[in-house]
């Protein structure tokens, strides 16, 4: 397992230049989506030290939480299969229990990896951080290594510190998408003081900034809240068209929940003159492409254009 994680690390996820804009502004992208076909992007980084810890402590099972389209659920299921952990996914949405035909591609994939799926009501799901509830789950499933929703904890942040390496010192700005903020915190921790790290929130949230402040002591960062498109996993035609234009032009596929909104936001800020002359900007492609198929089904129902992938 150590070899797997170190090996993929040293494969040297490439930085590619995307485009040159006016005023000498350069935009580069770090292809973390290419880390591994199934344990992709930042979920690979977040699982690394957690899985090493689970193995070290001889856990047989991993348990975690997520929604029906969760990249974290998909990555945990895949990693469990690769490294012989039993995996248990507590999934928001009790109505899915008896309706396999409504399962998202993510849930079908997780099940195909052997993940044991437990569907719970929104009310029960909210107890995910309560010790009492975790004890109850242990009585049901036996002992397990607990990975929190979205995969963020101290070991996850440690893993995300490895996204940035020495050769990235040349960049003035590093931009990444934010869900829980664990990935952003890791990047901030390994950035240099002269770099500015910019998080683009994928959700509407008033407390996210405070949450991130708890995960890092550094101050060379900001959180942008203008590009969540009205909330988590919400999309509109403009965003889908942007994602499709981008992949046509640059041959890089973005996901609609995180990286699509991120890159949309960066392009908009460049246009609005947010970045100084000759800025070198690095955007992190954190993966998430497994969710496109599920999103396309929703788009089809709404009569919106599909994401080409
Ligand atoms: C989970 C995820 C994020 C958010 O990461 P956090 O560490 O929770 O902020 C960003 N991008 C993609 C593609 C993800 O799957």
């Amino acid at each position: 397992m150590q070899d797997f994680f170190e090996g993929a690390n040293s494969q040297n996820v490439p930085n590619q230049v995307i485009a040159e804009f006016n005023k000498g502004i350069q935009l580069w992208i770090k292809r973390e989506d290419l880390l591994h076909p199934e344990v992709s992007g930042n979920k690979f980084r977040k699982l690394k030290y957690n899985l090493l810890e689970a193995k070290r402590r001889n856990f047989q099972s991993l348990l975690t939480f997520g929604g029906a389209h969760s990249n974290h659920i998909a990555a945990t299921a895949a990693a469990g299969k690769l490294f012989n952990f039993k995996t248990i996914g507590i999934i928001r949405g009790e109505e899915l229990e008896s309706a396999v035909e409504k399962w998202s591609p993510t849930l079908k994939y997780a099940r195909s990896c052997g993940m044991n799926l437990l569907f719970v009501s929104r009310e029960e799901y909210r107890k995910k951080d309560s010790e009492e509830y975790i004890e109850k789950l242990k009585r049901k499933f036996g002992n397990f290594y607990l990975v929190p929703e979205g995969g963020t904890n101290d070991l996850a942040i440690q893993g995300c510190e490895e996204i940035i390496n020495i050769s990235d010192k040349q960049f003035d700005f590093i931009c990444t998408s934010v869900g829980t903020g664990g990935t952003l915190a890791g990047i901030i921790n390994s950035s240099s003081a002269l770099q500015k790290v910019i998080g683009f929130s994928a959700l509407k949230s008033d407390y996210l900034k405070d949450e991130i402040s708890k995960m890092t002591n550094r101050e060379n960062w900001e959180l942008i809240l203008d590009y969540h498109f009205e909330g988590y996993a919400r999309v509109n035609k403009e965003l889908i068209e942007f994602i499709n234009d981008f992949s046509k032009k640059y041959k890089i596929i973005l996901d609609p929940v995180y990286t699509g909104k991120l890159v949309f936001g960066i392009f908009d800020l460049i246009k609005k003159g947010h970045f100084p002359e000759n800025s070198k900007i690095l955007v992190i492609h954190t993966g998430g492409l497994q969710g496109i198929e599920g999103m396309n089904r929703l788009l089809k129902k709404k009569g919106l254009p599909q994401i080409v992938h």
Side-chain angles (χ1 to χ4, degrees):
M1 187 157 77
Q2 183 99 33
D3 289 351
F4 170 87
F5 282 110
E6 297 301 335
N9 254 346
S10 62
Q11 256 169 28
N12 218 351
V13 183
N15 289 341
Q16 290 169 236
V17 68
I18 302 182
E20 294 235 12
F21 296 82
N22 289 341
K23 298 197 293 175
I25 294 172
Q26 270 185 20
L27 181 60
W28 292 65
I29 190 164
K30 186 183 282 292
R31 299 295 305 277
E32 293 272 306
D33 57 314
L34 301 177
L35 268 178
H36 186 269
E38 288 167 280
V39 192
S40 166
N42 64 341
K43 301 306 184 279
F44 175 104
R45 303 291 186 180
K46 294 171 100 172
L47 283 170
K48 175 178 174 180
Y49 290 108
N50 277 294
L51 296 199
L52 290 169
E53 176 73 359
K55 267 281 186 270
R56 188 182 70 76
R57 289 164 60 190
N58 282 321
F59 281 95
Q60 313 286 313
S61 306
L62 310 170
L63 180 139
T64 195
F65 299 87
H69 301 276
S70 163
N71 296 328
H72 168 66
I73 287 289
T76 305
K81 189 177 161 198
L82 278 168
F83 304 118
N84 295 316
F85 289 106
K86 288 182 192 144
T87 53
I88 304 146
I90 311 297
I91 309 296
R92 193 192 314 112
E94 62 194 330
E95 70 281 2
L96 293 165
E97 172 74 54
S98 56
V100 184
E101 73 283 358
K102 286 196 189 139
W103 282 21
S104 62
T106 305
L107 292 176
K108 286 182 190 159
Y109 171 76
R111 174 53 65 79
S112 79
C113 292
M115 185 176 254
N116 186 356
L117 301 172
L118 177 71
F119 297 95
V120 301
S121 66
R122 271 113 188 121
E123 190 188 352
E124 184 169 339
Y125 190 87
R126 274 196 290 275
K127 295 187 204 159
K128 63 191 180 327
D129 297 323
S130 113
E131 244 170 72
E132 200 185 325
Y133 183 60
I134 299 301
E135 282 312 311
K136 199 176 139 200
L137 290 172
K138 282 187 178 161
R139 287 195 293 278
K140 187 175 170 77
F141 293 108
N143 202 18
F144 51 74
Y145 183 89
L146 176 68
V147 185
E149 182 192 42
T152 290
N153 57 15
D154 289 348
L155 290 174
I157 294 172
Q158 187 188 336
C160 290
E161 289 172 4
E162 296 176 357
I163 293 173
I164 294 298
N165 58 54
I166 290 282
S167 65
D168 301 323
K169 294 271 182 261
Q170 56 168 314
F171 295 104
D172 306 301
F173 297 92
I174 304 171
C175 302
T176 196
S177 177
V178 175
T180 63
T183 304
L184 179 68
I187 292 170
I188 293 167
N189 289 345
S190 56
S191 67
S192 74
L194 294 174
Q195 293 177 310
K196 182 145 196 198
V197 185
I198 310 178
F200 288 71
S201 180
L203 44 121
K204 236 182 192 171
S205 169
D206 295 329
Y207 55 84
L208 196 49
K209 195 156 176 250
D210 295 334
E211 292 295 311
I212 296 162
S213 302
K214 288 181 205 153
M215 292 187 254
T216 181
N217 299 318
R218 308 275 305 273
E219 288 181 356
N220 58 328
W221 61 277
E222 74 178 305
L223 181 69
I224 304 236
L225 289 155
D226 300 330
Y227 300 99
H228 53 59
F229 287 78
E230 296 310 314
Y232 185 73
R234 298 267 186 95
V235 299
N236 63 20
K237 196 157 168 255
E238 192 184 11
L239 179 67
I240 303 301
E241 282 171 354
F242 175 82
I243 290 170
N244 285 340
D245 286 345
F246 186 87
S247 75
K248 207 164 158 190
K249 205 158 168 192
Y250 304 111
K251 311 284 174 247
I252 298 170
I253 298 171
L254 302 170
D255 83 290
V257 180
Y258 296 103
T259 54
K261 295 180 180 182
L262 164 68
V263 178
F264 183 101
I266 295 169
F267 272 57
D268 196 51
L269 288 181
I270 291 174
K271 211 173 0 179
K272 289 179 172 155
H274 181 88
F275 296 99
E277 234 170 273
N278 299 321
S279 294
K280 284 185 92 173
I281 307 165
L282 179 66
V283 52
I284 312 297
H285 195 318
T286 42
L289 303 181
Q290 71 85 30
I292 291 178
E293 218 183 305
M295 178 61 80
N296 272 346
R297 289 187 192 187
L298 297 176
L299 291 171
K300 201 170 175 183
K301 268 191 211 153
K302 290 185 185 164
L304 285 168
Q306 311 262 295
I307 298 161
V308 181
H309 68 123

